[in-house]
Amino acid sequence: MATKNLTRSGDDRTRVRRGFDRVAAVLPGLLVAGAAAAIGFAVNRQIGAASPLVVTIVLGVLLSALGGYRPQFRDGLRLAASTLLRTGILLLGLQLVVSDIYRLGAGPIVVVLVSVATAFVVTRWVGRRLGMTPARSLLVATGVAICGASAVAAMNQVADGEDDDAVTAVAVVTVLGTLSLAVLPALGLLLGLDEAMFGMWIGASVHEVGQVVAIGGAVGAAALSTAVVVKLFRVVLLAPLVAAVAIGRRSAAQKVDGAKLPPILPWFVAGFLAMVALRTTGWIPGGVITAASTTSTLLLAMAMFALGAAVDPRAVARGGRSAVSAGAIGTVVLAATSLAGLALVG
């Protein structure tokens, strides 16, 4: 009995030691990613349209370009780019209420569905014609059609692409979304759109949530509230799109003997949908929703820093021109299709 107790005690000490070793391995990378996220939040407070996710991915690329990456960061940044990223996407679901989307009405919902699908297909097709890899064209198309950096990060989990592809896609939607801050308000005034119509158009065509808030807030309260709801509906579409790609990859893998089959529905996508359903029940206190939103942004910002730190900036620059061209065409298609559709449904 004494021998068994000694053995059990030794096993316990070994597990504790391994746990400490694991923490020590990931801590440096998590600390530097957390510091980058703090900078991202600080910049966002000063410049509302500057998403913390975009700021941190730029910081990550700068770390790589300036030779600041250290081997001791590797394990923590890998954890940030995988588990923290997926958890952040899961928590995004708590920001969505199905009833708000339902109140938009059938017409705008159909317009958003058609516009998103058209922009996605066109962007991906143009990207492939310009020589982009399947993964990169998929990521750019997802960022343009759905919701910018968050969508790119989620799709990258199933797209089987390189970190360079994700960073390029985020850069493209960030640049194009920034341009929309100046272009869309001017077009809205020129076309004489009322606040409700303008808000729907903003939500249906602008890439980042922060950019939607910035433009909608500048137009008026009615435009802002409508724009955010429409934008969140586009965020919901991320789940079926990622699931469809995962199913397609699974079907392709089934044709290869011995290939590992990816899950039909990635766990973080299933969790995202579960969080949407939970929020829709109305059982979640407002304080919890606010905390979940902040936590989600923090985790995603840390993940974006990790993605940026893992890339070769020269590779991003080489592939940037075709990605920008495809993304620009997709953005124009998204804006034109959504505006025409909203005009038709009144």
Side-chain angles (χ1 to χ4, degrees):
M1 181 66 70
T3 301
K4 289 182 178 179
N5 287 337
L6 286 173
T7 301
R8 186 178 298 113
S9 177
D11 291 342
D12 289 342
R13 285 196 296 269
T14 299
R15 282 193 291 268
V16 170
R17 186 168 60 251
R18 287 175 178 171
F20 278 119
D21 290 344
R22 175 59 177 161
V23 171
V26 302
L27 191 58
L30 291 180
L31 286 175
V32 72
I39 295 173
F41 275 88
V43 172
N44 176 252
R45 288 192 187 97
Q46 298 299 318
I47 307 172
S51 165
L53 279 62
V54 173
V55 174
T56 51
I57 202 168
V58 170
L59 292 175
V61 172
L62 287 175
L63 180 76
S64 174
L66 299 176
Y69 186 90
R70 297 291 182 266
Q72 57 264 37
F73 297 159
R74 182 187 58 207
D75 289 347
L77 294 183
R78 282 180 177 174
L79 179 66
S82 56
T83 304
L84 298 192
L85 171 61
R86 293 163 184 166
T87 304
I89 292 168
L90 181 151
L91 291 174
L92 272 179
L94 285 177
Q95 308 308 307
L96 312 175
V97 182
V98 173
S99 58
D100 288 344
I101 297 170
Y102 177 78
R103 281 194 288 269
L104 289 173
I109 288 174
V110 171
V111 169
V112 172
L113 289 171
V114 171
S115 301
V116 165
T118 303
F120 178 82
V121 171
V122 169
T123 305
R124 197 169 184 194
W125 182 83
V126 171
R128 296 296 292 127
R129 293 301 175 275
L130 293 177
M132 293 165 60
T133 64
R136 181 166 293 192
S137 65
L138 172 62
L139 294 178
V140 172
T142 303
V144 166
I146 305 294
C147 58
S150 299
V152 172
M155 185 61 78
N156 196 43
Q157 299 296 297
V158 298
D160 200 25
E162 303 293 335
D163 289 336
D164 290 352
D165 297 325
V167 172
T168 299
V170 170
V172 167
V173 295
T174 300
V175 169
L176 295 172
T178 301
L179 289 175
S180 70
L181 292 173
V183 174
L184 286 191
L187 285 176
L189 289 173
L190 182 65
L191 296 171
L193 302 179
D194 59 41
E195 280 200 28
M197 174 71 82
F198 201 178
M200 286 190 183
W201 188 38
I202 293 166
S205 57
V206 177
H207 303 322
E208 288 282 349
V209 174
Q211 294 161 347
V212 168
V213 171
I215 300 173
V219 175
L224 175 60
S225 60
T226 304
V228 170
V229 173
V230 174
K231 179 60 180 176
L232 291 179
F233 176 44
R234 285 171 63 197
V235 175
V236 172
L237 300 179
L238 174 64
L241 183 60
V242 172
V245 172
I247 292 171
R249 289 191 59 215
R250 183 180 176 89
S251 298
Q254 286 176 334
K255 300 176 182 178
V256 180
D257 292 337
K260 182 180 179 181
L261 297 180
I264 293 177
L265 190 67
W267 68 265
F268 64 93
V269 175
F272 173 90
L273 294 174
M275 292 299 102
V276 172
L278 186 60
R279 171 67 192 279
T280 302
T281 64
W283 297 341
I284 310 298
V288 173
I289 294 169
T290 300
S293 175
T294 302
T295 302
S296 175
T297 304
L298 172 64
L299 296 178
L300 291 173
M302 293 173 68
M304 287 296 173
F305 176 80
L307 287 175
V311 306
D312 179 357
R314 293 168 297 182
V316 174
R318 285 194 297 269
R321 183 176 299 178
S322 58
V324 169
S325 298
I329 292 172
T331 298
V332 170
V333 168
L334 179 65
T337 305
S338 58
L339 180 60
L342 290 171
L344 285 174
V345 300

